Amino acid sequence: MYRIILIFIVFVPAYDANLCGCKSMRKCYVDMLNILKDKDEEACVENVATGAGTVMIFLKALKQYCPEVVKVEEKYVTYEGRHLYEVIVTNNTAKHVDDDTKPVILIEAGQLAGSESTNLVLVLIQQLAACIEYEDMIEKVKWVILPCTNPDGLEYTRYNRVQWKKNLKPSDDQMNHGVDLSRNFDHQWSACKKRGNSFSPQYPGLSPFSENETRFVRDVMNRYKNQARAYISVRKNGHSLLFPYAYTKVKVDDEAQYKKVAEKIVEKINQRAGIIQLFSSESIFSMNGKAHCGHSVDYAFDLGIPNSFEMRVFLGSETEVVTKFQSLPRGYHNSLLLGYLSGFKKLYEIITTDKSKNAHF
Ligand SMILES: *[C@@H]1O[C@H](CO)[C@@H](O)[C@H](O)[C@H]1NC(C)=O
C-alpha cells in the first residue's frame, strides 16, 4: 500500500492542466510552469507567438529552473543589441558519462529570419528538458542548440510583414542594410557571381564572417567540431532535408551515406506528419538548381562534421509547394511539428547506434 502511494506521488505532477506534450514531466519544469502560470504566461512554447522576446524569457526561465539539464551562453550580440544564445541540453548525472567525449548534435535555427524554425527548436528544447521519457536522449548526447541566429531579422519580419531574410546591419554608406547570413560563411565565399550592393536580398557581405551572427555560429562549430556528430541548419519555407554541397553540383565523396541517413529521417518525418510526402533528400545545390556560396552546411562539412544538413521546415509562402496545399486542414501545423520532432529523434537514434566513431557516419 505504502509503495503504491509513493508511485502515485512521484508520477502525477502538481501541474496537471497541460504537460506540453510530455508523458511525464521533470520536477524542475513543473515548478517553472506553475510560476509562469501564476504570471498568466502561456505554458508551452508551441502555443506562443515566437519573437526575440519569447526566446529570451523562455531561456531565462529554463536556466533558472532547470540548471541541471540546461545551460545558456550569450557571448555575442547583434547590431540591434539582441543576444545570440547557445543552449546546451544534457544530463551528466549518470556517473559514467564523460562530458568531453559525449557526442554532440548541433542544431541552429533562424538564419533566414522568420519565426517558424526558431519556434520548432524551442519546442525541441522544451521536450528534451521537460519530458522524462526523453531522458536517454540527453544522457547519451549533448544537444547544442542555437535557437535564433538572426533575431534582428526575426523581429523585422514580425512587424513589417515583408519577405526578409537578411540581418539588419547598415551598409557602410548607410544607404541600405542587411547581409544574407546564409551566404556569409567562409566556404567558397567568392565563387558565386558577385552581388556587390547591399540592396540585393542575397548580399553576402563585404567579406566572409563579416557579421557577428555568422562569427557566432562559426565559433560554436569550431568549439565542438571534434565531438559533433551532426549539424542541422533549420530554415523557414520548404519541407526538405538537404545535404552538401550548396556551392557546386559536384557530389561529396560520401553522398551514398548522406542519402541513406537523410532517407531514414525523411521516412520518419513523413510517417508522422502524414498528409503530404514532399520531404526530399538531395543536395542543396540540386534543390536550388544553382550555386549557393558561403553556406554554413558546406562550412560544417569541410570542418569534418558528419551529418551536416540544411533542413527546411513548414511550407512558407515563398515556395511553389504551398499553392498546391492551400486548403490544408487546421491542425496541420501541429502534424508537421510532430513530424519534424520525430525526425530529430531519428537522427539521435542513428547517431547513438553508430559504432564507427571515426568514420564520417
Ligand atoms: C557585434 O556587433 C556590435 C555592433 O555591430 C558590436 O558593438 C559588438 O561588440 C560586436 N561583437 C560581439 C562579440 O558581440
Side-chain angles (χ1 to χ4, degrees), residues 274-285:
I275 314 182
I276 53 164
Q277 305 255 319
L278 284 168
F279 221 109
S280 62
S281 50
E282 55 187 317
S283 81
I284 301 165
F285 183 98

Side-chain angles (χ1 to χ4, degrees), residues 108-132:
E108 166 260 323
Q111 249 186 68
L112 298 182
S115 60
E116 304 87 342
S117 58
T118 291
N119 185 255
L120 169 64
V121 304
L122 290 184
V123 176
L124 175 67
I125 293 171
Q126 169 182 270
Q127 304 307 91
L128 291 171
C131 304
I132 291 173

Side-chain angles (χ1 to χ4, degrees), residues 274-310:
I275 314 182
I276 53 164
Q277 305 255 319
L278 284 168
F279 221 109
S280 62
S281 50
E282 55 187 317
S283 81
I284 301 165
F285 183 98
S286 95
M287 182 64 161
N288 292 328
K290 55 179 191 264
H292 186 133
C293 298
H295 198 290
S296 67
V297 167
D298 286 358
Y299 181 80
F301 178 82
D302 270 13
L303 269 187
I305 301 178
N307 301 307
S308 290
F309 290 100
E310 172 182 319

Side-chain angles (χ1 to χ4, degrees), residues 75-81 84 169 211-212 215:
K75 289 186 195 121
Y76 280 86
V77 293
T78 63
Y79 175 74
E80 294 191 336
L84 293 163
K169 200 175 79 178
E211 307 307 296
N212 277 6
R215 282 185 215 140

